[in-house]
Amino acid sequence: MFARTAGLSPWKGGGFGMFSTTDDAGRRHVRVFVSAPERSEEIAISPSLEDAARRAAVWPTDAALSRLARRVVEREGRYRRPVDTVRIETWRIKYAPDTLAATTSLMRDFVYRVDETPAPRR
Amino acid sequence: MLTRLLRPADDADGVPDSVLTLTAIILLLRPLDVWWLAPFVLAAACLSLILRPVRRAPLTWVLVAVLVAIRIVYVWPLSDNHIYLLAYWCLAMGLALSGPIPAATLSASSRWLLGAAFAMAVLWKAVLSPDYVDGRFFRVTLLTDERFADASLVFGGLSRDQMAVNRKFLEPLPEGAELLEPPAFVEPPRLRAFSAIATWGGLVLEALVALLSLIPAEGRIQLARHASLLLFCATTYALAPVAGFGWLLATMGLAQCRPGQRTLRGAYAAVFILILLYSEIPWAGVLAGWAAR
């Protein structure tokens, strides 16, 4: 049900959809952008963010994306880099039916404002 | 209640020791990957292999089910499907061993669990996933998933260079983008046939297992049920890189054998070993190496 309504990968969640679709964890990824006064950039997913990033990619719920965003804010804080907003894009790879031409498709665009309620864009 | 969970089930009740032993072996072969859970599951598996009262105590399997369930919650939603099935199965064993007719209860639980799991798998493949029945899933997976690469070289007739070119072709572009000169894509008829066989062979076999498991009949249906499950395990796990799933299915099939069905029991034990060999011997890689010489 969550795979049909909430973006959960059919491979996960115990619904026995593995080996049924190319929409697996390996073909999903997140891109993380941070911004603050005089700063706006995409950051790499460091090892300390990998677990939260994988969970958010497999099931991009507000809770999972907020958790990843909080980890990003904590990590940036450790390096004394300011963050006002964390924007997380969740992407998946799709293949055309006959040609198999591969494209990336945006699943979610999520904005987390530090010290504010997360505001999902779509 | 606690006394019932602690008391080992009698041999006379008929749950074969082999089912309990193989389940413990599965837990040892594929330990849980959460450090604060794995030692307890491994200890329970070891003790149940060494000590018969532990092996036949319902509490052992209820506890293992709880630990596996905790792992599912802890890593949510990243667990593979067979971890859920493992939790259900351990719970079913614990409940069956504490009941009045353990063997019959476990056999029925196994049949319904297999029927439900395979029915869900068929639903996904045949109805809910648009990229399965049109062949996309295996066409892409045979080329991009490293675990299937050797089989694609052997059975699909691809060279390693062609594989590399195809992987380049399958790298994604931004939505709506198109290359002026896209890289070549080589899909020999043998590879197309291999992906079609994997697609439809898998779906038909899974549908057969689901159907025959959900029909509560004995006699020929029961034999066909065993035959389809054994065939599924013997063929699928030669390629599918999830031996833990295969071992679990073989063990659950074994639990459905009646005491007199020695040949069937032997067949399930043989399939369990066969899946072990598939997972430990890189047979497709060896064949691909020979073919490349």
Side-chain angles (χ1 to χ4, degrees):
Chain A
M1 186 179 77
F2 291 126
R4 303 293 289 176
T5 59
L8 173 65
S9 166
W11 281 62
K12 301 296 181 185
F16 295 94
M18 64 194 295
F19 294 102
S20 73
T21 173
T22 54
D23 185 14
D24 59 10
R27 293 183 179 87
R28 287 186 177 200
H29 68 278
V30 292
R31 295 180 69 185
V32 178
F33 304 85
V34 294
S35 59
E38 298 183 13
R39 182 182 188 208
S40 179
E41 62 184 296
E42 179 174 2
I43 62 163
I45 303 295
S46 64
S48 65
L49 298 174
E50 272 174 9
D51 180 62
R54 278 180 65 207
R55 294 182 200 225
V58 165
W59 196 16
T61 58
D62 284 0
L65 293 162
S66 296
R67 182 169 174 260
L68 173 59
R70 285 195 298 273
R71 294 278 165 90
V72 169
V73 172
E74 286 166 13
R75 184 173 186 278
E76 293 299 291
R78 285 198 294 275
Y79 291 97
R80 297 170 192 274
R81 293 191 287 247
V83 181
D84 282 353
T85 305
V86 180
R87 189 163 68 82
I88 303 171
E89 295 177 351
T90 310
W91 293 83
R92 60 164 289 200
I93 301 174
K94 288 181 173 175
Y95 300 92
D98 290 323
T99 64
L100 300 187
T103 52
T104 51
S105 168
L106 182 64
M107 294 179 67
R108 276 207 75 177
D109 189 350
F110 177 86
V111 176
Y112 179 92
R113 293 186 180 85
V114 179
D115 297 329
E116 284 182 25
T117 313
R121 273 197 191 173
R122 77 176 204 192
Chain B
M1 175 68 183
L2 188 63
T3 318
R4 239 171 64 187
L5 286 174
L6 285 168
R7 190 185 59 226
D10 291 338
D11 279 345
D13 294 327
V15 170
D17 246 2
S18 52
V19 172
L20 308 173
T21 304
L22 286 181
T23 305
I25 290 173
I26 294 170
L27 297 171
L28 291 174
L29 286 172
R30 290 288 184 272
L32 299 186
D33 53 2
V34 176
W35 70 265
W36 48 272
L37 283 172
F40 300 104
V41 176
L42 290 174
C46 287
L47 287 172
S48 69
L49 283 178
I50 299 164
L51 302 170
R52 194 184 158 282
V54 174
R55 183 163 66 242
R56 303 195 69 85
L59 188 62
T60 302
W61 300 105
V62 172
L63 279 178
V64 171
V66 169
L67 292 172
V68 176
I70 291 171
R71 189 267 191 191
I72 289 169
V73 172
Y74 182 69
V75 305
W76 174 260
L78 300 177
S79 289
D80 285 339
N81 288 289
H82 63 284
I83 305 298
Y84 295 83
L85 192 60
L86 178 64
Y88 298 144
W89 177 240
C90 291
L91 182 63
M93 289 202 303
L95 295 177
L97 287 171
S98 66
I101 43 169
T105 307
L106 191 60
S107 174
S109 301
S110 162
R111 190 168 60 72
W112 284 113
L113 279 173
L114 285 177
F118 276 83
M120 294 289 284
V122 169
L123 181 68
W124 271 111
K125 290 183 171 76
V127 181
L128 300 176
S129 298
D131 56 349
Y132 186 85
V133 286
D134 69 8
R136 251 180 299 170
F137 170 70
F138 270 114
R139 286 177 69 202
V140 170
T141 300
L142 291 176
L143 293 170
T144 55
D145 190 330
E146 193 54 43
R147 300 169 301 178
F148 288 94
D150 290 328
S152 301
L153 297 175
V154 173
F155 300 117
L158 275 179
S159 68
R160 290 196 186 274
D161 288 343
Q162 288 171 328
M163 177 75 85
V165 169
N166 284 348
R167 286 182 175 175
K168 188 81 186 156
F169 174 86
L170 290 169
E171 283 175 9
L173 299 170
E175 201 165 33
E178 214 171 295
L179 290 176
L180 274 177
E181 289 179 27
F185 181 65
V186 186
E187 198 175 30
R190 264 175 64 188
L191 183 64
R192 202 64 194 254
F194 181 37
S195 85
I197 289 167
T199 300
W200 291 103
L203 183 57
V204 167
L205 256 180
E206 286 184 15
L208 209 56
V209 174
L211 187 69
L212 293 168
S213 295
L214 294 173
I215 299 173
E218 298 296 314
R220 285 183 182 173
I221 295 281
Q222 189 198 43
L223 283 178
R225 185 186 305 141
H226 285 299
S228 62
L229 184 58
L230 285 165
L231 184 62
F232 178 83
C233 290
T235 53
T236 303
Y237 297 100
L239 297 175
V242 272
F245 211 149
W247 292 324
L248 190 55
L249 297 179
T251 305
M252 292 172 76
L254 180 64
Q256 292 181 45
C257 296
R258 289 195 301 268
Q261 295 177 311
R262 296 181 67 173
T263 309
L264 260 181
R265 286 167 181 264
Y268 277 112
V271 160
F272 192 99
I273 300 293
L274 184 65
I275 295 168
L276 183 71
L277 299 179
Y278 286 152
S279 77
E280 299 303 318
I281 300 172
W283 62 271
V286 172
L287 287 179
W290 283 344
R293 278 179 199 167

